[in-house]
Amino acid sequence: MARRLRYNEYTVGWICALPDEFTVAQEMLDEEHQDLPPNGNDTNIYTLGCIGEHNVVLACLPAGQTGTNSATAVAMQMKSTFLAIQFGLMVGIGGGVPSQEADIRLGDIVVSQPGKGHGGVVQYDFGKSTPSGFERTGFLNPPPPILLAAVTKLRSNLDRGRSSLSPHLSKLGNLLKFTRDKAGSDELFEAEYTHVGGDSCTSCAATRKIQRKERMDNTPTVHYGTIASGNQVMRDGATRDQISSEFGEVLCFEMEAAGLMNSFPCLVVRGICDYADSHKNKRWQPYAAGTAAAYAKELLLVIPAAGVVKIQTVDEVTREQIRSFYLPFLRNRQFVGRSIELNMLKQKLLINRDCQKVAISGLGGIGKTQVALQFAYSVKEDFPEFSIFWVQALSMETFEQGCIELARVLGIHQGREGEEDVKKLVRQRLCAKTAGKWLLIVDNIDDLDLLHGLKQTEGLLTLLPESDDGLTIFTTRYGGVAQHLAGNDVIEIGTMTGQETIDLLEKSLVRKSPYNYEIEMNLLIELEYLPLAITQAAAYINTNKSTVSEYLRLLKKAEQDAIVIMSTDFGDKTRYQNLTNAVARTWTITFSKILEGDILAADLLAFISCIEWKAIPYSILPAAYPEARLAGAIGTLCSYSFLERRDDGTKLDMHRLVHLATRIWINQNGREAEVSKAALKHIMEVFPSDDYTNREIWRDYLPHVARIDKDKQCQGTEEKSELCLKVGRCLYVDGRMEEAVLWLQESCEWRDRNLAQDNTDRLLSQHVLAGAYQANGQVKEAVTLLERVVAIQAEVLAEDHPSRLASEHELARVYQANGQVKEAVTLLERVVAIEAEVLAEDHPDRLASEHELARVYQANGQVKEAVTLLERVVAIEAEVLAEDHPDRLASQHELARAYQANGQVKEAVTLLERVVAIRTEVLAEDHPSRLAWTLVQRDTKGSTSDTL
């Protein structure tokens, strides 16, 4: 009589999609057990048994219900009923993807194995539509380590001739439907050739068959790699190959695995029944199902049952998620009130779950950010299963800065500089099912143009993550933006109640004067109960050791013409049409006080009014001597809450309304042009050079440059042209070539209009722009521009002038990129010949030209000449440069390439190993040069292996 076990004694879950798959799975059981009584709402019907020492639960998808969703439903019910299951197996048939790399035949077996940036299974039809087409998102988990270890063991057994696959298959011999002989012939047609006729390929053209070498026997071959999963049957060879290429070579297609990988940790095993093309038929399905089941049985037999008991259950694994947090501000200890708004957020997002997106809308200074911050900290305390993230959306630059912080917290590695967009990497991670539950606050998103993008630029909407487990809160001052982002799920933040504002004022004051309800209420009425205005008023009172009544007197005494500062019509372009005069009264008083008592602080306000108001680096501020004066000026502005220090101590923030009010105040005083031009000149002077070590500095500065770039007072000036040149050079080094070209074009346009054609600055801008053109793939434009530069210099400069030689050097590089190799050789030979007459043999320019000529020689097939020239360069640099000097290492790198091209592979490997060793000591791990040379070393070693 069959045994009857308990639910918690079953540790392996085996899921099938089709009846044939279920049949062979049952045949693989060493022993079948009695059924257990139904459990709650579980609609699955199970077969129970054992394979070796493992107690196994078998389940099949309901008839006619295939696909990822159905697989997920079956797995979730199995997991809920059999709580002790440690891992799963998804076993069945799939459509193979034959290629030159993988000789896949019908009846072969494909096993999911991580590699090429994937976890073993990819969902090729999951993603979102974007202006540039369909973009796939998400990441599926790899199989559990114990199953991957078993796969390794099986591969080793196969290599040693100890595979038991055939004996397991023989168990199906009594079921004729599942034998190899019933499957028929194995025919593969060209991918582009479409099936003709009915169920068989008798009408298909024999000339379109692909001829393949026959195998010695019918034993299935096992392949390991990526399996593509989707909700539709793949029936087209060309589409099959295209998707396979996009994912770095897929081995087979199927329809269920993507529904399991992140909720039911498992290994996917597929028997190949067709080639996922239009010639698909069902003759091979029974046998292919059998080969997959036989492999699954063999896999279980190499896993010790004792080892399974020690690992986590499926339920434990899927529940256990690592949470991440990034909140840029500490909890506001002065926060009061807003209980209605906070409760609405909690009900909508966490209790009733009516929506996944909520917009907090209201007037600037009303407290939207503080409400979002308070809610974030309450979620952190009360709902610990949530990760919490915060980004600012004042501009695309500040949004990107926030994404860089999120990438750091999430442990996202960006790879080489400029190669991947961090905004898209963050979105992809949060869109993945593995991200778990998260709350994202997108703060200060006020610009519709920023949401949708302008011209060719990508809008913020395409960069915002979405997930079944994700929640997003937006803060904005415009109702239109709020409705666009969240529909009807908008929480309007109005004025605080009288008691709330009294509590806020009392909590914010340092000196507790005798309480006078009437005076305090009069002040709060004058400030229109605006939290920011109340906080600033308290800061003024605290700093000056004043009183509420004195502040109220000054507020009411303010001149009418000062009050109109905030009454200017801003229109749609500026998005600030809802400003009230109450804030103007508060800020006007403070502006005047600062101007009277601290000129440096007033100048600092003026400067900051021209740049971005968030994430202001200390290093970008105008210097003051002694340095303590600048610290004092910053302290003055912080004391009024105009500026706020960040926790890291390197950046400052200013409220955007303060920023706007300061700007308008300056304009009303007739200083707009003076202040803007002074700010432009200062930023032009402090913006760093394009040295790689300055990377973090220029990235911090770019949002501020982007803002001053739009200032109408700064257009058409020499300083703007110079700043554009500096920015373009840094963007070039950062790998942001399209942006670099735009900035450099602007620099050139001014110089072309205002400077003589032979002016050195004009020629320099053109020279740099040409380099950016080349890097951006605009090689023909680079050639045209440099040919013009060289022609002009030929008329006004001697043939041995350094600038002329440098331009000819650069033109030769562009010629090579444009395929004009012979022209490049001719030009560089001329440059090298001239430099040989006027420069010492160890002069850097001469060595650089010889280095470049050697590269062109290689491109022209003159490998021996390249080797000779580079050996000379390397020998000279060995005498005059330190061993870790970048130029010396670059020449050794190039010589190694030449050696490899010349068949001197061992010499190439020796030299590259030395270069990489030195670079490992002196460069950061993510430095592009170090990564590039490591890859070259690996490829060269591969060439050595091939040679040997």
Side-chain angles (χ1 to χ4, degrees), residues 120-385:
V121 176
V122 294
Q123 186 169 0
Y124 65 89
D125 60 355
F126 182 76
K128 62 193 298 185
S129 296
T130 69
S132 58
F134 184 75
E135 182 175 332
R136 296 181 179 90
T137 60
F139 182 85
L140 298 177
N141 288 336
I146 192 169
L147 292 178
L148 294 177
V151 166
T152 300
K153 176 70 172 178
L154 279 191
R155 297 186 75 166
S156 175
N157 287 349
L158 180 63
D159 291 340
R160 301 171 66 194
R162 297 184 177 181
S163 171
S164 301
L165 197 60
S166 295
H168 298 323
L169 269 174
S170 66
K171 288 193 66 175
L172 303 176
N174 60 332
L175 302 176
L176 295 180
K177 173 182 176 181
F178 295 89
T179 61
R180 169 66 180 82
D181 293 339
K182 284 291 183 178
S185 61
D186 181 357
E187 297 176 336
L188 172 63
F189 289 87
E190 296 171 2
E192 296 78 12
Y193 179 63
T194 303
H195 177 71
V196 178
D199 293 338
S200 71
C201 289
T202 55
S203 300
C204 294
T207 57
R208 305 303 293 273
K209 290 182 183 178
I210 296 176
Q211 301 302 317
R212 296 177 291 176
K213 182 179 179 181
E214 277 197 41
R215 289 181 177 172
M216 300 296 293
D217 55 49
N218 288 329
T219 302
T221 298
V222 185
H223 307 268
Y224 302 89
T226 302
I227 294 175
S229 184
N231 279 305
Q232 293 183 338
V233 177
M234 178 58 64
R235 296 179 180 272
D236 182 76
T239 304
R240 171 200 71 196
D241 289 350
Q242 177 188 346
I243 293 175
S244 175
S245 176
E246 290 174 5
F247 285 102
E249 189 182 331
V250 163
L251 296 180
C252 87
F253 283 81
E254 56 92 77
M255 295 178 58
E256 291 81 29
L260 301 183
M261 304 310 296
N262 288 344
S263 57
F264 192 76
C266 65
L267 185 76
V268 183
V269 182
R270 293 298 182 189
I272 301 304
C273 65
D274 57 58
Y275 291 116
D277 56 13
S278 60
H279 306 277
K280 180 186 292 286
N281 62 65
K282 298 184 178 181
R283 290 195 310 275
W284 278 83
Q285 287 186 1
Y287 176 70
T291 62
Y295 180 91
K297 176 170 184 172
E298 186 171 14
L299 182 87
L300 286 177
L301 290 175
V302 301
I303 301 175
V308 173
V309 173
K310 297 176 183 178
I311 67 174
Q312 290 180 304
T313 65
V314 166
D315 191 55
E316 290 169 340
V317 170
T318 54
R319 287 176 183 272
E320 187 179 272
Q321 296 282 350
I322 299 175
R323 300 301 162 205
S324 303
F325 302 94
Y326 175 68
L327 293 171
F329 309 110
L330 295 174
R331 191 166 198 162
N332 183 359
R333 301 300 175 185
Q334 276 71 49
F335 185 88
V336 297
R338 300 300 192 191
S339 57
I340 294 176
E341 292 87 349
L342 290 170
N343 187 57
M344 288 176 65
L345 284 169
K346 185 175 181 180
Q347 290 294 325
K348 279 181 172 290
L349 295 173
L350 300 170
I351 306 301
N352 299 331
R353 299 180 183 177
D354 298 332
C355 58
Q356 290 181 274
K357 298 177 182 178
V358 171
I360 301 176
S361 178
L363 181 68
I366 203 70
K368 303 180 296 295
T369 296
Q370 295 305 316
V371 169
L373 187 66
Q374 184 72 7
F375 182 75
Y377 275 104
S378 68
V379 171
K380 186 177 181 182
E381 292 175 356
D382 300 333
F383 297 85
E385 68 271 24

Side-chain angles (χ1 to χ4, degrees), residues 904-942:
Q904 299 170 261
V905 181
K906 291 184 179 180
E907 291 88 337
V909 170
T910 301
L911 193 54
L912 269 179
E913 285 177 339
R914 178 178 179 279
V915 171
V916 171
I918 294 173
R919 274 305 187 191
T920 301
E921 296 177 6
V922 299
L923 287 183
E925 284 187 357
D926 61 347
H927 192 287
S929 296
R930 176 175 171 184
L931 294 171
W933 283 330
T934 302
L935 290 172
V936 172
Q937 181 195 26
R938 183 190 65 190
D939 294 342
T940 306
K941 283 186 174 180

